[in-house]
């Protein structure tokens, strides 16, 4: 059914508004864009009378231009539209509007992209257009006159197509030179202070309406590949976190399976376009077709994407930035398993000691809830888990009890805007000891274990659809925990109150892995190593409610010394030699934990207990309940 024009416009506006309102965390201070018409936000006046500048993409139902990919990405990152407005627009100058951070200009070659950074930015009418060569406005480039780049901003870079279209590339050598010039723009940004630079690989020009089916198709496809290889090689020399976007791979997947991306099936998506400018308008979904809809077509004109193509690229870029916000939660899942295991041990330690020379066996089961709040560089997440713990202790003498315990923990975490699904099985074993003499007491445990991340599903938007990239990996954990306290009451008192000091160490290592699909969106992740070192102080108390029933409670405040942000090194699975490091989860500096338990003697030597445990820091809340039984023999 054909949608009314006003409805299509409303849906588009609502989509952009939702991107803004539901923006996930962003560690970036701003977004700066450099490039050509593929990213131009409207540098040239629109002679049709639109308040927007001319963009090289389709118009929407309301007559305005659709946003280009960096504008969509900016909305996802929570930046206002003014941030990615045009930088050198004559309309801005005449109407007194502030310039934006988008320095991309339609028609720019790679040399002009570089000059807009280091020398002069010109809004110059490109070749082939009426008034070609006329400079409408110019201003100093972004880094001209000794300017410095914002090191906390994200930089977005496109270019190369106009070198081909304007006849500057006609051989492998000239294609490689053009790729090197685009890399020089990234190098200039890095030398100016930029740390995070996202760079498009050039789309396959042979697979555009301008060249598809012509004798130029195969040579241009080959030269596009040469350009990209030179670009990637040079980008590896840039001392910054350079994020390559495999745009040709993504668009190739869209052409091979258009229905998966919301594009029209049974249509020639390369040989036709939406507007009919420089190519054949699609007879169904083109502007004058039987059912005009640019979102069903990949190309607006002979070389430029429709909103569908721009949306795909923006979603793809965002999925890369968001990946470490989710994946750096994997070590935190394991840390949560270790903490739950230690809670189980402390719960067990509150049961009455067996006689000297006797054993005490115990079994416990429990469930946990894990809630990660959103950070600037980490996604929110909700986790659920359950566990089974077995163990036993032996009382050596009046003062000492030693034991062992083993636990299996199953966790599931849903994180990010699309509820990515991460699962972890933890197998932990501990040796522990308890000491009490007079009013002094102490306990400690050594823990080690194996981590099995057997089902990792990273979900993200890709156009109107959702894509999932899957993987699995292993890891290991080790930990040490100790407390030293002093009872304020004598042993046979009906109540006990003991201040204590605590020390905790835990190290989790998650092995690196590659997602399995091999598609343009699949990624590979390096090893992650997360260490926790904490010191704390607290109170442990209990009261005898009935002859066989005792209520216990504990509260402590702990300081985390390992609170640096957890960055993650990653790469695209199809571009393995170009890795980069992005920001992830930041552990809290302080946390509060508390527990409440009750134990009841069912029979002499048989005790039943139930416990509730709670931890809270700035963005993390962990809760757990458990039920256990112990038997002396």
């Amino acid at each position: 059914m054909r949608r009314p024009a006003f409805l299509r416009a409303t849906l588009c506006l609502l989509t952009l508004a939702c991107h803004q309102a539901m923006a996930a965390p962003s560690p970036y201070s701003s977004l700066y864009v450099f490039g050509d018409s593929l990213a131009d936000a409207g540098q040239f006046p629109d002679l049709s009378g639109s308040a927007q500048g001319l963009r090289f993409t389709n118009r929407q139902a309301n007559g305005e231009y659709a946003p280009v990919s960096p504008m969509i990405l900016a909305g996802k990152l929570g930046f206002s539209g003014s941030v990615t407005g045009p930088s050198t627009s004559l309309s801005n100058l005449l109407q007194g509007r502030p310039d934006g951070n988008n320095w991309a200009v339609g028609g720019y070659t790679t040399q002009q992209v570089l000059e807009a950074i280091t020398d002069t930015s010109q809004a110059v009418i490109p070749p082939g257009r009426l008034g070609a060569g006329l400079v409408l406005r110019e201003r100093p480039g972004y880094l001209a006159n000794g300017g410095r780049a914002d090191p906390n901003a994200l930089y977005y870079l496109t270019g190369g197509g106009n070198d081909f279209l304007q006849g500057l590339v006609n051989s492998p050598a000239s294609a490689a030179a053009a790729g090197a010039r685009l890399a020089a723009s990234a190098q200039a940004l890095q030398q100016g202070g930029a740390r995070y630079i996202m760079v498009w690989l050039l789309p396959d020009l042979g697979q555009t309406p301008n060249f598809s089916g012509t004798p130029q198709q195969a040579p241009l496809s080959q030269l596009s590949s040469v350009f990209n290889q030179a670009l990637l090689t040079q980008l590896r020399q840039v001392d910054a976190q350079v994020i390559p976007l495999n745009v040709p791979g993504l668009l190739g997947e869209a052409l091979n399976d258009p229905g998966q991306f919301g594009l029209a099936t049974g249509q020639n998506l390369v040989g036709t376009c939406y507007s009919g400018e420089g190519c054949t308008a699609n007879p169904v979904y083109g502007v004058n077709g039987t059912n005009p809809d640019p979102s069903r077509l990949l190309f607006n004109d002979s070389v430029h994407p429709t909103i569908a193509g721009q949306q795909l690229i923006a979603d793809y870029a965002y999925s890369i930035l968001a990946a470490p916000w989710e994946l750096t939660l994997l070590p935190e899942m394991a840390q949560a398993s270790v903490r739950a295991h230690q809670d189980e041990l402390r719960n067990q330690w509150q049961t009455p000691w067996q006689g000297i020379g006797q054993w005490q066996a115990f079994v416990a089961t429990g469930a946990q809830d894990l809630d990660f709040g959103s950070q600037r560089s980490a996604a929110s997440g909700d986790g659920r888990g359950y566990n089974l713990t077995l163990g036993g202790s032996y009382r050596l003498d009046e003062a000492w009890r030693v034991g062992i315990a083993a636990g299996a923990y199953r966790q599931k975490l849903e994180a990010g805007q699309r509820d990515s699904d991460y699962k972890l099985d933890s197998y932990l074993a501990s040796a522990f000891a308890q000491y009490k003499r007079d009013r002094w007491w102490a306990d400690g445990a050594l823990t080690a274990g194996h981590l099995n991340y057997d089902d990792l599903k990273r979900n993200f938007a890709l156009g109107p659809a959702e894509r999932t990239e899957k993987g699995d990996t292993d890891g290991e954990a080790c930990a040490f925990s100790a407390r030293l306290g002093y009872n304020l009451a004598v042993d046979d008192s009906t109540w006990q109150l003991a201040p204590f000091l605590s020390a905790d160490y835990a190290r989790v290592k998650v092995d690196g892995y590659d997602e399995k699909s091999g598609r343009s969106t699949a990624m590979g992740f390096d090893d992650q190593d997360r260490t926790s070192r904490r010191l704390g102080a607290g109170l442990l108390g209990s009261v005898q409610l009935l002859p066989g029933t005792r209520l216990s409670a504990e509260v402590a405040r702990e300081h985390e010394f390992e609170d640096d942000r957890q960055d993650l090194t990653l790469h695209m699975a199809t571009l393995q030699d170009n890795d980069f490091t992005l920001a992830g989860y930041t552990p809290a500096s302080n946390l509060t934990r508390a527990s409440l338990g009750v134990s009841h003697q069912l029979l002499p030597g048989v005790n039943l207990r139930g416990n509730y445990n709670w931890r809270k820091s700035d963005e993390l809340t962990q809760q757990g309940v458990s039920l256990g039984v112990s038997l002396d023999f």
Side-chain angles (χ1 to χ4, degrees):
M1 183 177 69
R2 185 171 177 175
R3 294 174 179 167
F6 78 90
L7 178 58
R8 294 199 299 272
T10 301
L11 289 174
C12 182
L13 291 174
L14 286 174
T15 299
L16 292 176
C18 288
H19 281 322
Q20 186 79 10
M22 299 176 62
S26 171
Y28 308 104
S29 58
S30 190
L31 177 66
Y32 290 85
V33 182
F34 301 89
D36 54 20
S37 55
L38 294 172
D40 188 336
Q43 302 283 9
F44 301 110
D46 182 8
L47 299 181
S48 69
S50 169
Q52 296 176 329
L54 170 68
R55 294 184 199 142
F56 298 84
T57 187
N58 64 275
R59 290 186 183 275
Q60 302 176 111
N62 60 0
E64 300 293 345
Y65 289 104
V68 291
S69 62
M71 300 174 71
I72 302 171
L73 178 62
K76 287 174 167 286
L77 294 173
F79 300 126
S80 66
S82 60
V83 168
T84 52
S87 67
T88 318
S89 163
L90 179 61
S91 298
N92 285 350
L93 181 65
L94 295 177
Q95 298 179 29
R97 294 194 300 256
D99 290 319
N101 294 343
N102 190 320
W103 298 73
V105 178
Y108 263 13
T109 64
T110 52
Q111 182 62 39
Q112 290 171 303
V113 174
L114 177 59
E115 290 171 354
I117 297 171
T118 61
D119 189 3
T120 302
S121 174
Q122 293 185 328
V124 54
I125 298 177
R129 302 269 176 170
L130 182 64
L134 177 64
V135 178
L136 301 180
R137 183 185 172 194
E138 68 177 28
R139 56 179 294 207
Y142 175 64
L143 297 178
N145 304 317
R148 299 297 296 171
D150 179 355
N152 297 315
L154 176 67
Y155 293 83
Y156 190 93
L157 183 61
T158 72
N162 290 308
D163 295 61
F164 288 77
L165 297 175
Q166 296 177 25
L168 301 177
V169 171
N170 46 38
S171 67
S174 56
R181 281 195 298 274
L182 186 59
S185 292
Q187 183 72 59
L189 289 169
Q190 180 271 321
Q191 291 174 345
R195 292 190 297 164
Y196 304 101
I197 307 170
M198 181 171 276
V199 184
W200 277 40
L201 271 65
L202 180 68
D204 182 352
L205 295 180
Q207 290 293 316
T208 61
N210 199 54
F211 299 109
S212 177
T214 72
Q216 296 171 286
Q217 177 177 344
L220 282 174
S221 293
Q222 294 172 358
L223 291 178
S224 299
S225 178
V226 172
F227 176 99
N228 286 331
Q229 288 302 317
L231 173 62
L232 289 169
T233 299
Q234 293 300 315
L235 289 178
R236 288 196 284 271
Q237 311 306 314
V238 179
D239 187 18
Q241 306 310 324
V242 181
I243 308 160
L245 296 182
N246 189 357
V247 174
L250 176 68
L251 298 184
E253 291 167 14
L255 292 173
N256 288 334
D257 189 2
Q260 184 184 80
F261 296 82
L263 299 173
T265 58
Q267 299 291 320
N268 185 348
L269 297 180
V270 176
T272 63
C273 67
Y274 175 71
S275 69
E277 183 180 349
C279 64
T280 302
N282 188 275
V284 179
Y285 299 108
V287 65
N288 296 313
T290 57
N291 185 22
D293 188 351
S295 69
R296 303 300 304 279
L297 300 174
L298 191 58
F299 289 97
N300 174 61
D301 54 29
S302 59
V303 292
H304 298 107
T306 61
I307 180 58
Q310 298 284 3
Q311 185 73 55
L312 284 175
I313 295 166
D315 288 343
Y316 172 43
Y318 185 75
S319 74
I320 298 171
L321 299 176
W325 306 343
E326 298 179 12
L327 271 295
T328 52
L329 296 180
L330 297 185
E332 302 307 317
M333 294 175 68
Q335 289 279 358
S337 289
V338 171
R339 291 192 294 263
H341 182 72
Q342 292 171 335
D343 287 342
E344 199 63 71
L345 294 179
R346 281 190 284 263
N347 295 339
Q348 174 59 29
W349 293 342
Q350 297 306 307
T351 58
W353 285 29
Q354 66 271 38
I356 296 173
Q358 284 191 309
W359 292 88
Q360 183 181 89
F362 64 88
V363 59
T365 186
Q368 297 84 40
D369 177 271
L370 191 61
D371 180 17
F372 291 100
S374 178
Q375 297 181 349
R376 282 181 58 86
S377 56
S380 60
D382 294 310
R384 301 289 185 273
Y386 50 90
N387 67 279
L388 177 66
T389 305
L390 305 171
S393 63
Y394 178 76
R395 186 165 182 181
L396 298 172
D397 55 31
E398 190 67 29
W400 287 95
R401 180 166 74 163
V402 297
I404 56 173
Y409 294 77
R410 176 70 167 177
Q411 278 194 76
K412 176 182 178 181
L413 178 70
E414 293 182 347
Q417 290 187 331
R418 293 289 176 142
D419 290 334
S420 297
D421 191 0
Y422 303 112
K423 293 184 175 66
L424 167 63
D425 291 323
S426 304
Y427 305 96
L428 303 172
S430 293
F432 63 84
Q434 292 179 266
Y435 170 86
K436 62 178 182 179
R437 183 180 295 277
D438 299 327
R439 297 187 181 185
W440 290 97
W441 61 270
D443 52 49
L446 285 171
T447 301
H450 174 73
L451 310 173
N452 180 21
Y453 296 91
D454 65 339
D455 192 10
L456 304 177
K457 298 177 181 178
R458 183 171 61 91
N459 302 329
F460 50 92
L462 201 58
E466 181 175 279
R467 176 170 279 192
T468 299
E469 294 291 355
K470 301 177 182 179
D472 54 69
T473 188
D474 294 314
E476 57 190 35
C478 62
F480 169 76
S481 178
R483 296 182 300 179
L484 174 64
Y486 182 79
N487 285 324
L488 301 180
V490 297
D491 283 349
D492 58 356
S493 173
T494 58
W495 63 272
Q496 297 287 330
L497 186 63
F500 65 86
L501 299 175
S502 65
D504 289 270
Y505 169 87
R507 179 178 180 268
V508 167
K509 180 178 180 295
V510 180
D511 296 338
Y513 72 98
D514 282 354
E515 292 170 329
K516 300 175 180 179
S517 73
R519 298 177 296 200
S520 62
T521 52
M523 304 183 73
F525 308 98
D526 278 12
D527 293 350
Q528 297 188 65
D529 202 329
R530 164 79 163 95
T531 299
S532 173
R533 293 184 177 89
R534 305 190 308 276
L535 291 178
L539 284 173
L540 177 63
S542 65
V543 61
Q544 194 76 36
L545 298 177
L546 298 170
T549 306
R550 194 169 190 88
L551 179 69
S552 61
E554 178 181 350
V555 62
R557 181 72 169 172
E558 298 177 350
H559 176 72
E560 175 63 76
F561 291 90
E562 299 286 346
D563 57 359
D564 292 339
R565 189 182 67 191
Q566 303 299 295
D567 294 345
L568 178 60
T569 298
L570 54 160
H571 60 265
M572 308 311 299
T574 53
L575 306 170
Q576 295 201 15
D577 293 332
N578 291 73
D579 58 4
F580 47 93
T581 301
L582 299 179
Y585 181 78
T586 302
S589 300
N590 297 286
L591 67 87
T592 301
R593 64 176 181 85
S595 66
L596 182 67
V598 61
S599 62
H600 177 71
Q601 186 182 66
L602 298 175
L603 298 169
V606 180
N607 289 276
L608 179 69
R609 61 171 178 81
N611 294 85
Y612 169 75
N613 297 282
W614 173 85
R615 276 182 173 79
K616 182 72 173 72
S617 63
D618 292 340
E619 290 88 15
L620 171 66
T621 302
Q622 181 176 350
Q623 303 179 79
V625 294
S626 67
L627 183 67
V629 62
S630 63
L631 172 66
D632 297 349
F633 60 93

